[in-house]
Amino acid sequence: MAEPRIILHHFDESPFSEKIRLIFGLKRLAWSSVRISRIMPRPDLMPLTGGYRRTPVMQIGADIYCDTQCIMRELERRFPAPSLVPKGYQGLAWASAMWTDRCFFQNTVNLVFGTLADKVPAAFIADREQLRGAKFDVAAMKAAIPQMRDQFRSHLEWIDIQLRDERPWIAGDAPSLCDIDAYMNIWYARSNLDNAADLLGEYDHARCWAARLHAIGHGERTEISSSEALAIATAATPQTEELPDLDDPNGRKVGDKVEVMPDDYGKVRVGGAIVALSAQHIAIRRHDPQAGEVVVHFPRAGFLVFAA
């Protein structure tokens, strides 16, 4: 059987997308790139996700994977070697995203946009205010730059401390989720800040570690259009098998109609019927006039599930 076609809906400047692109490089995967706009609308993607609008989204046929937690878990399941999960750190490796994607990332965002304040387009600000449901106050971010530098340094030092025994990677002898999650913020700062070298200057171990990760690359990338990706989903049938969770603390069952949304920002509810359920994953089946039948996958940590 031919390998499934991996499609990533992303934009090149997206730090969360960089995590997945780096995994493609680490696992030496071929993948199809669909470049989406940094801001709405995204008319060919919304039929696939049901309205979920954070970046990136991975598509394999008519199965749609939302949030990097979910995407990374599926890539590890399908392509287990080399593993993203270091022996002895299995729980911490998956949990590391709660540090890197939330408080570390928010600190990095404030530092980046505070520095770029006068250059941020009004359309981008308006889009992010809608996404976050709150004011995207670049003036306040600019005023907070000294505090953000302090906090960025704290996060960076944690990485450096972990590497001071001359280990090449944060958790073991090979790059893992711990490295990929943390690197995202270093990559984002370097991509946007002229003084990123100064921020990294005192941390030789972290700086060399980041260079090793950068050298991994992004695998074998080819470009396709968003309309082509939508047509692929429309022609495909979801491959997700039904999977109940007999220990679900709220008694949810396969077939239950629910709505799923992030708990922090981008709070768009996506509705459908449960296909698969576990402590880490929920998949829901939905029907769209353009995409047809799709199964949309979400992580559980950081997401809320409501009865429809």
Side-chain angles (χ1 to χ4, degrees):
M1 182 181 293
E3 290 287 349
R5 185 176 191 175
I6 303 167
I7 301 172
L8 189 71
H9 300 257
H10 69 126
F11 53 88
D12 288 331
E13 303 88 349
S14 163
F16 288 93
S17 299
E18 180 64 12
K19 283 210 273 188
I20 305 306
R21 295 187 295 251
L22 190 60
I23 291 172
F24 293 152
L26 181 64
K27 290 184 177 288
R28 302 179 185 88
L29 298 178
W31 57 287
S32 296
S33 160
V34 175
R35 297 190 189 191
I36 60 176
S37 169
R38 293 180 69 181
I39 63 175
M40 298 294 278
R42 296 168 180 165
D44 291 332
L45 181 56
M46 292 302 101
L48 300 178
T49 67
Y52 174 86
R53 55 154 299 183
R54 304 201 310 193
T55 307
V57 170
M58 185 175 75
Q59 173 190 349
I60 300 179
D63 281 284
I64 312 301
Y65 299 88
C66 300
D67 193 272
T68 53
Q69 286 185 77
C70 191
I71 294 170
M72 293 187 296
R73 192 172 293 277
E74 183 62 17
L75 289 173
E76 181 73 356
R77 186 186 73 83
R78 289 175 181 263
F79 310 100
S83 179
L84 300 173
V85 185
K87 186 177 180 180
Y89 294 88
Q90 290 90 332
L92 287 176
W94 289 112
S96 66
M98 291 295 105
W99 159 48
T100 62
D101 295 11
R102 296 207 169 202
C103 69
F104 192 3
F105 178 64
Q106 190 58 56
N107 168 220
T108 310
V109 164
N110 288 340
L111 184 58
V112 166
F113 282 98
T115 303
L116 300 178
D118 299 333
K119 301 176 183 178
V120 183
F124 182 89
I125 293 173
D127 179 82
R128 289 309 187 263
E129 287 182 343
Q130 183 181 35
L131 177 66
R132 293 176 176 274
K135 185 174 177 60
F136 194 79
D137 193 341
V138 292
M141 294 178 193
K142 187 174 182 178
I145 284 175
Q147 310 299 335
M148 294 302 103
R149 285 179 183 146
D150 286 345
Q151 292 192 21
F152 188 86
R153 186 181 185 218
S154 293
H155 292 294
L156 188 58
E157 186 170 71
W158 289 339
I159 298 169
D160 200 76
I161 289 170
Q162 186 68 9
L163 299 166
R164 285 179 188 171
D165 61 359
E166 305 301 333
R167 69 177 68 196
W169 309 107
I170 287 176
D173 296 328
S176 71
L177 288 174
C178 297
D179 301 283
I180 290 163
D181 285 337
Y183 173 72
M184 172 189 78
N185 293 287
I186 311 303
W187 178 88
Y188 192 45
R190 281 181 159 176
S191 299
N192 290 280
L193 301 177
D194 292 336
N195 68 336
D198 295 335
L199 293 170
L200 289 162
E202 64 182 300
Y203 298 115
D204 293 342
H205 294 87
R207 188 172 62 252
C208 294
W209 161 85
R212 289 193 291 273
L213 283 161
H214 176 76
I216 290 171
H218 292 161
E220 184 182 333
R221 170 176 173 170
T222 57
E223 301 293 331
I224 66 172
S225 68
S226 60
S227 59
E228 186 177 353
L230 178 56
I232 288 169
T234 303
T237 300
Q239 298 300 302
T240 304
E241 296 182 357
E242 290 188 356
L243 178 68
D245 180 0
L246 300 181
D247 296 317
D248 184 88
N250 293 293
R252 299 185 185 91
K253 303 180 299 298
V254 170
D256 286 355
K257 293 182 178 180
V258 296
E259 294 176 328
V260 184
M261 78 171 189
D263 67 4
D264 51 358
Y265 65 93
K267 295 182 178 181
V268 177
R269 295 193 183 201
V270 178
I274 294 175
V275 178
L277 195 64
S278 74
Q280 301 296 337
H281 170 239
I282 183 169
I284 60 174
R285 189 184 312 276
R286 52 180 306 277
H287 296 267
D288 181 88
Q290 289 178 268
E293 182 182 299
V294 295
V295 170
V296 189
H297 301 251
F298 299 94
R300 300 300 295 276
F303 280 72
L304 305 175
V305 180
F306 304 94

